[in-house]
Amino acid sequence: MEEVRLSPLRQISVKSSSLSGRSTPRGSPRVHSGRTPRREGRSGAVQWFRSSRLLYWLLLITLWTYLGFYVQSRWAHDNENKVEFLRFGGKLRKDVVVHVVDKSKGMVSVANETTSDALVSVSAKDDAGVNKRTDVSLSKKDDVASRRSLSSRRKTRKASRTSRSKQKVTKAVVESKVLNDEQDPQLPLTNATYGNLLGPFGSLEDKILEWSPHRRSGTCDRKSDFKRLVWSRRFVLLFHELSMTGAPISMMELASELLSCGATVSAVVLSRRGGLMQELNRRRIKVVEDKGELSFKTAMKADLIIAGSAVCTSWIDQYMNHHPAGGSQIAWWIMENRREYFDRAKPVLDRVKMLVFLSESQSKQWLTWCEEEHIRLRSQPVIVPLSVNDELAFVAGIPSSLNTPTLSPEKMREKRQTLRESVRTELGLTDADMLVMSLSSINPGKGQLLLLESVALALAEREQEAQRNRKGTVRKEKVSPSRKHRLRGSSRQVQSVPLKLDNAAGRQKQELKLLLGSVGSKSNKVEYVKEMLSFLSSNGNLSKSVIWTPATTRVASLYSAADVYVTNSQGVGETFGRVTIEAMAYGLAVVGTDAGGTKEIVEHNVTGLLHPMGRLGNKDLAHNLLFLLRNKEARLRMGIEGRRMVEKMYMKQHMYKRFVDVLVKCMRP
C-alpha cells in the first residue's frame, strides 16, 4: 500500500490550522468551542491590568501632572483667568485686597482709617499676587471646561468694567495689609491741614550707603566674657508685644546677639500686634507657637528666661504656678517707670531671681515703691542701660564690628553726609533750615502735644522778630523839597538806608521744621493723636512746619537728616531714652525734660538743653529751640560732645559687659 505524503504546502496549512485552534479532524465532535482560548486570554489581560496597582498609579500620576502643567500655563499666560481663580461663585473673595500706595500725590495722611470705612479699589491685574490660597475646580470634560472658560471671561470683562467705573469715583488711598498691622486703625486717613507724611527712606538709605541690615552677619565679640557665658546655652526671651518701640526692639537685638554668640534662643510673644514679626523672621529668631503650655515646656528647658517688660507679669505668674521653681531662672528686665506698671508687677516681684533696670532714677523709684508695699526682693537689682546697636553705629561712622576695609568709619561718615543731603531734599529742606525731630510712640507720656505748643510759640516769636526787622530795613532817606528839586533829572537816585542787620537778615532765611514719628505704631493713643490734629488744624500755618513719618526700624536716614532731637517725656520722665543716645551718636544736640533718664544722659549746656516738665516748661522749650536755631555753632558743639559721651559709655560692648553680671548670678551653672 502506498504512503500518502503531504506536500510542504499542506503541512504548513495543517500547522496553521493547529495554531488557529482547529487541531481535531473535521468530522469529529467538538467538546469546546474554538474561541474559548481567546476569551480566556482577554479576561486574563484585563484581570492582570486590574491587579497591577503600579500601572494604575503611573497613569494617575501622569494625568495629575498634565492637569498641573495645564493649570500653571493658564495661570501664567491668561491674565483674564487670574481673577477667576480667586473667586468663589463668580464673586471676589472678601479677603482679597489690593493695596495701593499713591506716591505721586505725596503722602499727606497721618494714619489709616478704620478698616470698615476704608474704600477698596480692586484691579483685575493685581488680584493674582494678593491671595495666596487658591481654590481651583477643574471640569472633567474639555467641552465643559471650554464653556466655563468662556463664561468666566465674560464675567471677568464685566467685573473689570465695573471696577474701572468704581475707580473713577473712589479716591481713597488703601494701604497694604502689612502696614495695616503696624498702624492704628482708628486715625483719620487724609487731611492736608495736619502736615505731610514722608518716609521711610530705607530704599534711599540702601542705595547711598551700598549696605543694608539684611547683609549683616554675626557681630559677636568672640573674646568677650558674654560670648563665653552664653555659648551653647538655651535662652527664652519674653516679648510683651512686637511694636516698633524701645522694649521690643531692645529684646530683638539681645536675641540677635545671643544667636551670634552661639546660644539657642526661643522667643515667647504675648501680643503679636506691631510690625516686628517680619524682622524676627529675617533674623532667624524662633518664635514659640503659643504663650501657654508649649511656652512653659520650652522655658523649663532653658538656662535663663529674660522677660523684657513689666507687662509680662501674667505669663510669669502662670509659669511659676505651672513650675514652682521656675522663678529661680527668671531675670526681669523692666523698661517702664510708671506706677501703674509697678502695681501690675508687684504680685510676682519677690518671686523672680533678679530685677534689671535701665537707669539709676528708675531703680530708686521702684525700690521706693517696694518699700512702701513691704516687698522684699530676692537679690539686689542690677542696672543695665541700653546701647546704640551696631547698625546705627556703623552708619554714624563710629567704629563697630560691621566695619570692613572698604567700609571704614571715615568712608561711612562721607556716605552719611550724602545721605543727609538726599533725605533733606526729599523733605523739602534747605541747608539753612533746622530740622527738629522726635521719634517715639504718640501718647501723653511722651509730650508731643506740648512740643507742638512750644513750636507754635517759637514760630510766633520768630514772626514778630521778622516783622521788626522788616520795619527797620524799609526806612528811606528823608529828603527836603529843595534837594528833591535839585536832584530831579539827574542820574542820581534816592536810595534806602538799610540798618546794619546783615546777620538778622541771614537768620530770616532759616526755617524751623518739626519731624514727628511714629505714625502707625500700635502703642499710639488715638484720642491723644486726635487732640494733636485738632491743635494743628486750629493753628493756621503751623502744619506747614510739621512733617510726619511712619513707624520704622530704618531710622539712620532720619537721624542723618536732623539737627536737633527733642525728648519731652512727662510724668516721672523718660525711663532711659534709647532714642536719646542714638541721636547723640549722630551728633545731634538734645533738648529734653529735666527728669528721669534724660537728666542722667544729657548734661545741660554741654550735650544739650533741659527744660521743666508740663506746660510750665513750654516757654523754656521754645526758648531753647530758638537759641539753637540762631546759634549753629553751639548746636554743633553740643552734638560733638554728645557723640563723645556715647562712644565712651553707651556702645554695645558697654551694655553686654554689664549684662555679664546678670548671667553669672541668674543662669544655671
Side-chain angles (χ1 to χ4, degrees):
M1 188 175 180
E2 294 181 358
E3 290 185 1
V4 180
R5 292 184 179 181
L6 297 176
S7 64
L9 180 61
R10 184 62 179 172
Q11 291 176 358
I12 296 173
S13 64
V14 170
K15 292 180 180 180
S16 64
S17 65
S18 65
L19 291 173
S20 63
R22 296 180 181 180
S23 60
T24 58
R26 180 175 295 181
S28 63
R30 292 184 181 181
V31 180
H32 299 288
S33 173
R35 294 184 180 180
T36 301
R38 291 186 180 182
R39 286 199 302 266
E40 289 178 355
R42 289 181 180 179
S43 62
V46 173
Q47 187 176 2
W48 176 83
F49 176 76
R50 290 179 178 177
S51 62
S52 179
R53 295 185 179 180
L54 177 61
L55 181 61
Y56 173 77
W57 282 109
L58 287 175
L59 291 174
L60 185 61
I61 291 172
T62 303
L63 179 61
W64 185 257
T65 305
Y66 171 76
L67 290 177
F69 280 113
Y70 174 78
V71 172
Q72 186 177 5
S73 62
R74 292 295 299 273
W75 178 272
H77 301 290
D78 195 350
N79 289 331
E80 293 183 352
N81 286 335
K82 290 183 180 180
V83 177
E84 195 65 26
F85 279 97
L86 301 179
R87 295 176 184 269
F88 293 96
K91 294 183 179 180
L92 191 65
R93 288 176 51 181
K94 294 181 179 180
D95 58 341
V96 179
V97 183
V98 176
H99 311 303
V100 181
V101 179
D102 190 358
K103 296 183 179 179
S104 61
K105 296 181 180 179
M107 305 176 77
V108 295
S109 61
V110 176
N112 62 323
E113 214 170 13
T114 308
T115 305
S116 59
D117 296 335
L119 299 176
V120 180
S121 300
V122 179
S123 172
K125 294 182 180 179
D126 295 334
D127 286 342
V130 178
N131 193 359
K132 294 182 180 179
R133 295 184 178 180
T134 312
D135 289 349
V136 183
S137 61
L138 299 175
S139 97
K140 297 181 180 179
K141 295 183 180 181
D142 294 338
D143 56 344
V144 178
S146 62
R147 287 197 298 269
R148 288 187 180 179
S149 177
L150 180 59
S151 62
S152 66
R153 292 183 183 180
R154 290 175 180 174
K155 291 179 181 179
T156 303
R157 291 174 187 149
K158 185 176 180 180
S160 63
R161 288 195 297 267
T162 305
S163 176
R164 285 194 296 268
S165 62
K166 289 182 179 180
Q167 287 178 357
K168 293 180 181 179
V169 179
T170 306
K171 293 183 179 180
V173 178
V174 182
E175 297 179 341
S176 65
K177 187 176 181 181
V178 176
L179 190 58
N180 284 338
D181 290 340
E182 299 176 4
Q183 295 211 355
D184 199 315
Q186 302 183 34
L187 301 179
L189 183 63
T190 56
N191 192 322
T193 62
Y194 300 151
N196 292 329
L197 177 64
L198 300 174
F201 303 99
S203 58
L204 181 62
E205 188 176 313
D206 295 341
K207 180 180 178 181
I208 294 176
L209 300 179
E210 299 178 337
W211 181 88
S212 171
H214 296 275
R215 303 179 186 177
R216 75 186 299 274
S217 57
T219 59
C220 179
D221 183 1
R222 303 294 177 181
K223 299 180 181 180
S224 64
D225 292 335
F226 180 83
K227 184 263 179 183
R228 178 180 55 82
L229 288 172
V230 304
W231 174 260
S232 73
R233 295 299 190 100
R234 289 174 293 186
F235 294 85
V236 169
L237 269 60
L238 194 56
F239 292 70
H240 74 290
E241 64 180 18
L242 295 179
S243 63
M244 295 185 187
T245 52
I249 292 178
S250 300
M251 293 296 291
M252 179 183 67
E253 292 174 353
L254 174 60
S256 298
E257 190 69 17
L258 289 170
L259 288 174
S260 177
C261 291
T264 301
V265 178
S266 298
V268 176
V269 179
L270 303 186
S271 174
R272 301 201 176 196
R273 68 173 192 170
L276 285 183
M277 180 58 73
Q278 183 178 3
E279 186 68 15
L280 290 178
N281 295 332
R282 185 185 70 80
R283 294 176 181 237
R284 299 180 181 179
I285 299 173
K286 180 183 177 182
V287 179
V288 181
E289 295 180 359
D290 73 346
K291 53 184 178 182
E293 189 70 22
L294 181 59
S295 67
F296 297 155
K297 292 180 179 179
T298 305
M300 290 174 63
K301 300 176 183 179
D303 295 298
L304 182 63
I305 303 169
I306 304 175
S309 170
V311 185
C312 300
T313 302
S314 59
W315 187 92
I316 294 175
D317 189 25
Q318 295 174 15
Y319 174 68
M320 288 191 293
N321 291 335
H322 181 272
H323 181 50
S328 298
Q329 59 179 139
I330 298 178
W332 201 349
W333 201 4
I334 297 177
M335 303 189 189
E336 296 85 6
N337 199 25
R338 297 204 300 268
R339 179 67 192 226
E340 57 265 29
Y341 289 104
F342 172 81
D343 293 336
R344 178 184 295 187
K346 65 183 180 182
V348 293
L349 286 177
D350 57 345
R351 300 175 64 186
V352 300
K353 181 69 174 180
M354 177 179 290
L355 299 182
V356 183
F357 296 112
L358 300 179
S359 62
E360 289 286 350
S361 60
Q362 181 198 15
S363 178
K364 292 178 181 178
Q365 183 65 73
W366 278 71
L367 290 177
T368 301
W369 289 334
C370 287
E371 291 179 2
E372 294 175 357
E373 298 290 337
H374 305 289
I375 298 175
R376 296 185 61 183
L377 302 178
R378 294 179 61 175
S379 61
Q380 187 69 19
V382 174
I383 298 175
V384 180
L386 300 177
S387 65
V388 178
N389 62 42
D390 274 335
E391 288 87 349
L392 288 176
F394 174 68
V395 179
I398 298 176
S400 70
S401 60
L402 297 177
N403 287 119
T404 63
T406 57
L407 294 175
S408 62
E410 294 76 14
K411 184 67 175 179
M412 293 309 300
R413 283 194 285 269
E414 296 176 2
K415 289 179 176 291
R416 182 168 66 90
Q417 181 62 31
T418 305
L419 178 64
R420 170 184 170 84
E421 296 171 358
S422 300
V423 175
R424 288 176 70 90
T425 301
E426 293 288 331
L427 296 175
L429 304 177
T430 65
D431 293 338
D433 294 337
M434 186 180 79
L435 180 61
V436 178
M437 185 171 68
S438 179
L439 299 179
S440 60
S441 56
I442 305 174
N443 57 67
K446 302 298 182 180
Q448 287 94 344
L449 178 58
L450 299 178
L451 175 58
L452 283 177
E453 295 174 357
S454 301
V455 171
L457 290 175
L459 292 177
E461 183 175 345
R462 182 78 171 163
E463 182 63 25
Q464 294 176 1
E465 179 184 357
Q467 291 178 359
R468 291 194 299 267
N469 291 335
R470 283 195 295 268
K471 291 180 180 179
T473 56
V474 299
R475 290 192 308 171
K476 295 183 179 180
E477 181 183 5
K478 294 183 180 180
V479 184
S480 62
S482 59
R483 182 171 178 79
K484 286 183 179 180
H485 180 73
R486 288 194 300 268
L487 292 176
R488 187 177 299 168
S490 65
S491 60
R492 182 179 176 183
Q493 298 179 356
V494 179
Q495 300 179 352
S496 61
V497 182
L499 298 177
K500 294 183 179 181
L501 296 174
D502 295 338
N503 294 334
R507 287 198 300 267
Q508 289 179 13
K509 297 179 182 179
Q510 295 178 343
E511 296 290 342
L512 173 63
K513 299 290 184 178
L514 176 63
L515 178 66
L516 290 175
S518 303
V519 173
S521 172
K522 287 297 183 179
S523 298
N524 292 349
K525 301 300 181 183
V526 178
E527 295 302 323
Y528 187 71
V529 174
K530 290 181 178 179
E531 191 175 353
M532 292 176 62
L533 300 181
S534 176
F535 179 80
L536 279 172
S537 60
S538 61
N539 280 272
N541 296 327
L542 178 60
S543 61
K544 295 180 180 180
S545 300
V546 176
I547 304 171
W548 302 83
T549 190
T552 179
T553 57
R554 307 295 300 275
V555 294
S557 54
L558 300 177
Y559 285 128
S560 299
D563 300 290
V564 176
Y565 192 88
V566 176
T567 302
N568 199 37
S569 299
Q570 304 298 308
V572 293
E574 190 71 30
T575 305
F576 175 74
R578 173 193 174 96
V579 289
T580 304
I581 59 174
E582 290 176 351
M584 293 168 67
Y586 278 75
L588 306 184
V590 177
V591 178
T593 49
D594 189 13
T598 306
K599 186 177 180 180
E600 296 182 21
I601 299 173
V602 179
E603 186 176 355
H604 187 63
N605 281 330
V606 177
T607 61
L609 299 172
L610 300 175
H611 60 273
M613 293 186 295
R615 280 194 165 81
L616 296 177
N618 282 0
K619 291 184 177 180
D620 291 339
L621 175 55
H623 175 75
N624 291 341
L625 293 177
L626 287 176
F627 172 79
L628 294 176
L629 179 65
R630 294 164 180 162
N631 297 274
K632 183 177 180 180
E633 294 79 9
R635 190 171 75 214
L636 296 176
R637 175 180 53 80
M638 292 179 183
I640 293 173
E641 292 296 328
R643 183 184 175 98
R644 289 176 181 171
M645 179 179 290
V646 169
E647 292 179 352
K648 183 179 180 181
M649 300 176 59
Y650 298 114
M651 297 304 296
K652 186 187 74 171
Q653 60 269 23
H654 302 126
M655 185 185 81
Y656 290 116
K657 185 176 181 180
R658 294 197 178 194
F659 217 93
V660 168
D661 191 22
V662 178
L663 299 176
V664 171
K665 294 180 180 179
C666 298
M667 198 164 55
R668 289 176 178 175

